Structures are given as structure tokens and as C-alpha cells.
Amino acid sequence: GSRYLKLVIQMEVSEKEALAELEQLKPRLRDSILDLLTSRSYKDLVELAGKQRLREDIAGRVNNALSKGKITKVYFTDFVIQ
């Protein structure tokens, strides 16, 4: 069946200059991350290794879009699947 995912992400950046760029890119990044999430199975999202892969993939997508600085860490501050 279908499931509901609520995910809140916080990111650590290497340079303050990246913050303004992240804000400007927010719609594009949200879309990219939503595409990534919908490609994952329930099992991928509940297992610890799957969550770590997801963190890495999110950082990779964001870093590909950034020209100033990079994401050094991705934190899931809220993660609920129903």
C-alpha cells in the first residue's frame, strides 16, 4: 500500500557563502530530493544503511548544484513513516 513520509533535513555547509545559494536553489533542490525519495522503497528508508545511503545521495545532489562551498553533513531532524 501507499505510505506517508515526513522528513525534515538540516545540512552543514563548508562555507557561509553556500547559505545564500542554497536559499536561491531551494525549489530545485526540493524537487530533486522528492524525486530521490520516491525512488526508494519502504525497506530502503527504514534500515540504518538505507538512511545513510539516502544522506549521502542527498548531499551528492545538493553538492552537484552548488558552486560555492559544499554540504559536509546531512541530518534528519524528523523522520516519520506511516
PDB file of all heavy atoms in Angstrom, residues 60-72:
ATOM      1  N   GLY A  60      25.101  14.510  -2.229  1.00  0.00           N
ATOM      2  CA  GLY A  60      25.626  14.488  -3.593  1.00  0.00           C
ATOM      3  C   GLY A  60      24.813  15.347  -4.542  1.00  0.00           C
ATOM      4  O   GLY A  60      25.368  16.116  -5.335  1.00  0.00           O
ATOM      5  N   ARG A  61      23.498  15.230  -4.455  1.00  0.00           N
ATOM      6  CA  ARG A  61      22.633  16.029  -5.334  1.00  0.00           C
ATOM      7  C   ARG A  61      22.769  17.517  -5.049  1.00  0.00           C
ATOM      8  O   ARG A  61      22.831  18.336  -5.964  1.00  0.00           O
ATOM      9  CB  ARG A  61      21.167  15.604  -5.186  1.00  0.00           C
ATOM     10  CG  ARG A  61      20.877  14.305  -5.892  1.00  0.00           C
ATOM     11  CD  ARG A  61      19.410  13.990  -5.882  1.00  0.00           C
ATOM     12  NE  ARG A  61      19.203  12.721  -6.576  1.00  0.00           N
ATOM     13  CZ  ARG A  61      18.167  12.466  -7.340  1.00  0.00           C
ATOM     14  NH1 ARG A  61      17.242  13.375  -7.514  1.00  0.00           N
ATOM     15  NH2 ARG A  61      18.048  11.303  -7.939  1.00  0.00           N
ATOM     16  N   VAL A  62      22.802  17.861  -3.777  1.00  0.00           N
ATOM     17  CA  VAL A  62      22.925  19.275  -3.411  1.00  0.00           C
ATOM     18  C   VAL A  62      24.300  19.802  -3.825  1.00  0.00           C
ATOM     19  O   VAL A  62      24.408  20.889  -4.399  1.00  0.00           O
ATOM     20  CB  VAL A  62      22.661  19.478  -1.898  1.00  0.00           C
ATOM     21  CG1 VAL A  62      22.919  20.928  -1.499  1.00  0.00           C
ATOM     22  CG2 VAL A  62      21.231  19.076  -1.546  1.00  0.00           C
ATOM     23  N   ASN A  63      25.335  19.034  -3.564  1.00  0.00           N
ATOM     24  CA  ASN A  63      26.682  19.474  -3.920  1.00  0.00           C
ATOM     25  C   ASN A  63      26.844  19.653  -5.425  1.00  0.00           C
ATOM     26  O   ASN A  63      27.565  20.549  -5.871  1.00  0.00           O
ATOM     27  CB  ASN A  63      27.738  18.509  -3.369  1.00  0.00           C
ATOM     28  CG  ASN A  63      27.944  18.694  -1.886  1.00  0.00           C
ATOM     29  OD1 ASN A  63      27.726  19.764  -1.343  1.00  0.00           O
ATOM     30  ND2 ASN A  63      28.351  17.634  -1.212  1.00  0.00           N
ATOM     31  N   ASN A  64      26.162  18.838  -6.218  1.00  0.00           N
ATOM     32  CA  ASN A  64      26.213  18.993  -7.675  1.00  0.00           C
ATOM     33  C   ASN A  64      25.614  20.327  -8.120  1.00  0.00           C
ATOM     34  O   ASN A  64      26.015  20.875  -9.143  1.00  0.00           O
ATOM     35  CB  ASN A  64      25.488  17.844  -8.377  1.00  0.00           C
ATOM     36  CG  ASN A  64      26.302  16.569  -8.384  1.00  0.00           C
ATOM     37  OD1 ASN A  64      27.515  16.585  -8.216  1.00  0.00           O
ATOM     38  ND2 ASN A  64      25.625  15.451  -8.562  1.00  0.00           N
ATOM     39  N   ALA A  65      24.670  20.836  -7.348  1.00  0.00           N
ATOM     40  CA  ALA A  65      24.003  22.094  -7.706  1.00  0.00           C
ATOM     41  C   ALA A  65      24.749  23.321  -7.172  1.00  0.00           C
ATOM     42  O   ALA A  65      24.585  24.418  -7.693  1.00  0.00           O
ATOM     43  CB  ALA A  65      22.570  22.085  -7.169  1.00  0.00           C
ATOM     44  N   LEU A  66      25.560  23.136  -6.138  1.00  0.00           N
ATOM     45  CA  LEU A  66      26.250  24.267  -5.512  1.00  0.00           C
ATOM     46  C   LEU A  66      27.518  24.652  -6.252  1.00  0.00           C
ATOM     47  O   LEU A  66      28.272  23.794  -6.696  1.00  0.00           O
ATOM     48  CB  LEU A  66      26.635  23.920  -4.068  1.00  0.00           C
ATOM     49  CG  LEU A  66      25.533  23.907  -3.020  1.00  0.00           C
ATOM     50  CD1 LEU A  66      26.100  23.445  -1.679  1.00  0.00           C
ATOM     51  CD2 LEU A  66      24.905  25.277  -2.874  1.00  0.00           C
ATOM     52  N   SER A  67      27.763  25.951  -6.338  1.00  0.00           N
ATOM     53  CA  SER A  67      29.034  26.415  -6.892  1.00  0.00           C
ATOM     54  C   SER A  67      29.928  27.001  -5.799  1.00  0.00           C
ATOM     55  O   SER A  67      31.127  27.146  -5.985  1.00  0.00           O
ATOM     56  CB  SER A  67      28.787  27.449  -7.986  1.00  0.00           C
ATOM     57  OG  SER A  67      28.130  28.573  -7.448  1.00  0.00           O
ATOM     58  N   LYS A  68      29.325  27.331  -4.649  1.00  0.00           N
ATOM     59  CA  LYS A  68      30.082  27.913  -3.523  1.00  0.00           C
ATOM     60  C   LYS A  68      29.992  26.971  -2.328  1.00  0.00           C
ATOM     61  O   LYS A  68      28.924  26.759  -1.781  1.00  0.00           O
ATOM     62  CB  LYS A  68      29.489  29.255  -3.125  1.00  0.00           C
ATOM     63  CG  LYS A  68      29.490  30.272  -4.238  1.00  0.00           C
ATOM     64  CD  LYS A  68      28.690  31.489  -3.847  1.00  0.00           C
ATOM     65  CE  LYS A  68      28.544  32.419  -5.036  1.00  0.00           C
ATOM     66  NZ  LYS A  68      27.450  33.341  -4.890  1.00  0.00           N
ATOM     67  N   GLY A  69      31.106  26.418  -1.931  1.00  0.00           N
ATOM     68  CA  GLY A  69      31.100  25.535  -0.775  1.00  0.00           C
ATOM     69  C   GLY A  69      30.462  24.203  -1.081  1.00  0.00           C
ATOM     70  O   GLY A  69      30.149  23.884  -2.227  1.00  0.00           O
ATOM     71  N   LYS A  70      30.265  23.416  -0.026  1.00  0.00           N
ATOM     72  CA  LYS A  70      29.622  22.114  -0.199  1.00  0.00           C
ATOM     73  C   LYS A  70      28.953  21.691   1.092  1.00  0.00           C
ATOM     74  O   LYS A  70      29.238  22.221   2.160  1.00  0.00           O
ATOM     75  CB  LYS A  70      30.628  21.070  -0.654  1.00  0.00           C
ATOM     76  CG  LYS A  70      31.679  20.743   0.369  1.00  0.00           C
ATOM     77  CD  LYS A  70      32.553  19.593  -0.111  1.00  0.00           C
ATOM     78  CE  LYS A  70      33.411  19.103   1.040  1.00  0.00           C
ATOM     79  NZ  LYS A  70      33.914  17.768   0.851  1.00  0.00           N
ATOM     80  N   ILE A  71      28.078  20.717   0.955  1.00  0.00           N
ATOM     81  CA  ILE A  71      27.412  20.119   2.106  1.00  0.00           C
ATOM     82  C   ILE A  71      28.399  19.138   2.733  1.00  0.00           C
ATOM     83  O   ILE A  71      28.904  18.248   2.049  1.00  0.00           O
ATOM     84  CB  ILE A  71      26.122  19.387   1.686  1.00  0.00           C
ATOM     85  CG1 ILE A  71      25.136  20.355   1.033  1.00  0.00           C
ATOM     86  CG2 ILE A  71      25.486  18.664   2.873  1.00  0.00           C
ATOM     87  CD1 ILE A  71      24.716  21.510   1.889  1.00  0.00           C
ATOM     88  N   THR A  72      28.653  19.312   4.017  1.00  0.00           N
ATOM     89  CA  THR A  72      29.583  18.415   4.699  1.00  0.00           C
ATOM     90  C   THR A  72      28.851  17.355   5.510  1.00  0.00           C
ATOM     91  O   THR A  72      29.400  16.299   5.797  1.00  0.00           O
ATOM     92  CB  THR A  72      30.532  19.191   5.621  1.00  0.00           C
ATOM     93  OG1 THR A  72      29.754  19.964   6.543  1.00  0.00           O
ATOM     94  CG2 THR A  72      31.433  20.118   4.818  1.00  0.00           C
TER      95      THR A  72
END
